[in-house]
Every structure is written in structure tokens, then in C-alpha cells.
Amino acid sequence: MSDPHLNAMMENLYWWGIPTLFRCPNLPVDGQDIALVGVPHSAGNGTTERDQHLGPRALRNVSSVQRRMHSGFQLDPWNAAKIVDLGDVPFPKANDNEDCIEQITNFYQQIDKAGARPVSVGGDHSITGGIVQALGCGSITKGEPICFLHLDAHTDVFTKVDHFLGAKKSAAHWGAYLADQGKVDPAHSMQIGIRGHARTLDWLQPSYEYGYNVVTMKDYRRRGLADVVAQVTEVLAGRPVYITFDLDCLDPTIAPGVSNIEAGEKGFDIDDAVGLLHAVRGTNIVGGDVVCMMPTKDSPNHITALTAGAIMFEIISMIAENHLPQREA
């Protein structure tokens, strides 16, 4: 097919062709700008059905719908940067969380060494720990610790117990152990959208003790988007930014197929979420992930998978934009 308009139409048919992430080629990482990765891991969060490992496949199945131009940025991200789908992290001991986290770290160390910026889909939120063990103080960050833009209903800094149903480096612990390792700088990281009715009244205290900048959902509703964006800009300015996006930060009406769903308080709508992501546009974004999708709980129209793809597209586009010549000048 030589007609570019016909090609664009065919590439957007999710039911046609080989379902790589966003129709990107499946190639080795060397010489690439952005590496898309599936992380089909679900042994780090045992509180709900363990099918978050199906998330990468679900997103691959629909992501061609989001192989689009970014009209807001006036950007074709797929030509602005060299973007490949590296496939999935292999997990020969998939039920052993600690082994899986080390497999993730080993996989991303090779990506970091190649200089590509990874954008990943999980998988439960424990995958962020494995990824940032590799990226924090690594080659892409030039030896600096990661600074998080972390959108989530939960802090994942639960230090009151030393494991989560047997998992040590669990979906509930990565925010703490990465800080302990020096891989993350909490004082220049943001945790936004925290909500829900906690099991203990001191559940936010560990985040405060580590020095994270916490914006609860009630804080966000009181302050508004512009004020929170201004804080994000100030806190993360000039630092290596890693975006980690837990789909449970979104309201269940637009993302029903997630783990640890919080239905007792309204979550972000998609405009909130995208507006917060754009707070780091033009900064040194070293990577990102979208986590906690449960396809077996999704609506028949795949709204959670499509929403996850939309969030991933925004992260890809912001990184790709930084590779344009005018950004490098």
C-alpha cells in the first residue's frame, strides 16, 4: 500500500495485522530513542484477581487505534523519534515476585545501557520497582536519582508491614525501597490523586516521612489543576523525570478494569490526568509506565485498555517531542 492515507487507515484497524504496541516495529533496542515494553507480571499484588499480567496483551490488541498524530502538540511522534516494541520481559518463575523483579531490572539495564527511554505497560505496580532499580542513577539519568511524577489512588509506600501477602518488593513497597536504595529522590517527586478509605489512619505518614510531595484527591479538588501543575513544574524542574501512572487514579466509570479499584471517591477524569501529565512536557522524561490494568474486568468495549493506550500515547509523544531538532537546539 503506497497511499499514505490508506496506510494510516489500515494501521488504525485494531483487528488487522500483527499487534505490536502502536504498530511499532519489533526490533532490537540498539540505536533506538524509545523502547516500548510489556511487563506481564502480577505476583506483586495479591489483594485482587491476579490477571494484571494480561494487561500488555490487551493493550497490544487495541493500541493501533492510538497510532495517531498528536494534534495538541502538532506532532507525528512515530516519525519524530525511533520507536520500537521490544516485546515482553520474560518471567520463567512468574509466581515468584522477587525473581520477577530482578528479571525486570536485568531487562531494563540493557535498555538503559543502549540509551533508549522505556515506556512500559504492566502488570501490577511492583514492576515500577524493578524498572527504576535499573534506571535510577543509571546512564540515561547521567547518574542522578529518578524523580517521580506518580499518579495513583495509593502511595505504595507502605512500610508498616515488611511484605505484602508474601511479596517483599511488592506493589505496595516500591516507593519506599527505591528511596532506601537512593534510586529515587522523594523530595523532588510528586504523588498525586491519593484517595480512598484507608485501613489505618496513618497510611500517608510513610510518604511524608520519606519526603514525598503528596497531593490527595481532596487537595486536588480544592486547589485545582493549574495550582497543582505549578507545583509539579517547580518540584521536578531540571531533573530526570519518570512517570508512573496507576490506572486506579482514574474514576472507575472510565477505567473499570483495574486492580484495587477505589469507588468511594471520584477519581480523575481523562482531562485531569492528561493535564497533569503535560505538566512535565519539555522536561527530561527518562521513561514511564502504565500499570494495574485487569482486562478480564474491563467493559466489552475495552474502555480501560483504550484509556491506558491514550495515557501511554501522551507519554510517548512528550518524549518524542524532545527528539525534534528544535528541542535539541
Side-chain angles (χ1 to χ4, degrees):
M1 293 182 294
S2 58
D3 185 333
H5 295 94
L6 185 58
N7 288 345
M9 181 185 72
M10 292 301 292
E11 285 180 341
N12 272 272
L13 299 176
Y14 76 89
W15 43 263
W16 171 84
I18 299 171
T20 60
L21 285 164
F22 301 91
R23 298 273 187 212
C24 291
N26 175 224
L27 294 171
V29 70
D30 291 335
Q32 308 300 333
D33 298 319
I34 299 174
L36 308 182
V37 185
V39 192
H41 171 62
S42 59
N45 179 1
T47 59
T48 54
E49 295 90 342
R50 290 192 178 188
D51 57 8
Q52 294 168 77
H53 61 285
L54 302 178
R57 182 55 56 90
L59 187 50
R60 281 200 170 88
N61 285 344
V62 301
S63 65
S64 60
V65 176
Q66 269 121 5
R67 188 182 170 90
R68 297 175 176 175
M69 305 299 102
H70 199 295
S71 56
F73 296 177
Q74 285 296 286
L75 174 73
D76 176 355
W78 319 109
N79 285 320
K82 291 175 285 186
I83 309 174
V84 295
D85 180 351
L86 294 187
D88 292 340
V89 180
F91 295 117
K93 297 181 181 179
N95 290 326
D96 182 340
N97 180 69
E98 286 14 272
D99 183 79
C100 289
I101 297 302
E102 293 312 305
Q103 295 293 334
I104 294 169
T105 298
N106 293 340
F107 192 94
Y108 282 81
Q109 282 173 339
Q110 299 308 307
I111 298 173
D112 182 64
K113 188 182 301 182
R117 296 174 188 240
V119 182
S120 311
V121 55
D124 70 49
H125 215 155
S126 67
I127 74 166
T128 302
I131 294 168
V132 174
Q133 281 187 150
L135 299 186
C137 305
S139 298
I140 299 172
T141 68
K142 295 181 169 56
E144 294 185 50
I146 290 289
C147 295
F148 280 128
L149 175 60
H150 173 199
L151 276 63
D152 203 330
H154 313 95
T155 66
D156 298 342
V157 189
F158 296 116
T159 58
K160 302 299 182 182
V161 292
D162 64 359
H163 66 86
F164 194 52
L165 299 178
K168 295 280 189 181
K169 291 185 174 179
S170 78
H173 287 90
W174 56 268
Y177 77 74
L178 290 172
D180 291 338
Q181 293 173 356
K183 301 288 189 177
V184 166
D185 178 1
H188 291 96
S189 295
M190 297 288 303
Q191 297 187 315
I192 308 175
I194 311 303
R195 77 183 197 277
H197 298 288
R199 292 167 181 82
T200 61
L201 295 178
D202 63 351
W203 76 303
L204 297 179
Q205 195 58 37
S207 276
Y208 296 140
E209 290 171 355
Y210 272 97
Y212 282 103
N213 297 276
V214 178
V215 180
T216 66
M217 186 58 73
K218 286 183 173 61
D219 292 334
Y220 177 81
R221 297 296 178 206
R222 175 178 54 83
R223 293 172 54 186
L225 175 63
D227 190 51
V228 176
V229 165
Q231 183 184 2
V232 172
T233 301
E234 180 181 355
V235 169
L236 277 71
R239 301 176 186 278
V241 176
Y242 185 90
I243 300 167
T244 182
F245 192 100
D246 190 326
L247 290 161
D248 68 23
C249 77
L250 298 169
D251 194 73
T253 57
I254 63 169
V258 301
S259 175
N260 299 105
I261 199 165
E262 291 289 355
E265 182 178 357
K266 189 176 186 298
F268 291 128
D269 63 30
I270 192 65
D271 291 341
D272 290 321
V274 171
L276 287 165
L277 290 175
H278 288 177
V280 295
R281 182 184 176 191
T283 67
N284 181 23
I285 304 170
V286 300
D289 60 53
V290 180
V291 298
C292 296
M293 179 168 38
M294 297 211 301
T296 53
K297 297 297 182 182
D298 205 357
S299 298
N301 63 3
H302 312 296
I303 185 59
T304 309
L306 289 165
T307 301
I311 295 299
M312 205 169 171
F313 173 74
E314 294 294 335
I315 299 171
I316 292 166
S317 295
M318 287 192 293
I319 298 174
E321 187 180 39
N322 288 342
H323 285 84
L324 290 173
Q326 60 265 33
R327 288 288 183 184
E328 296 169 357

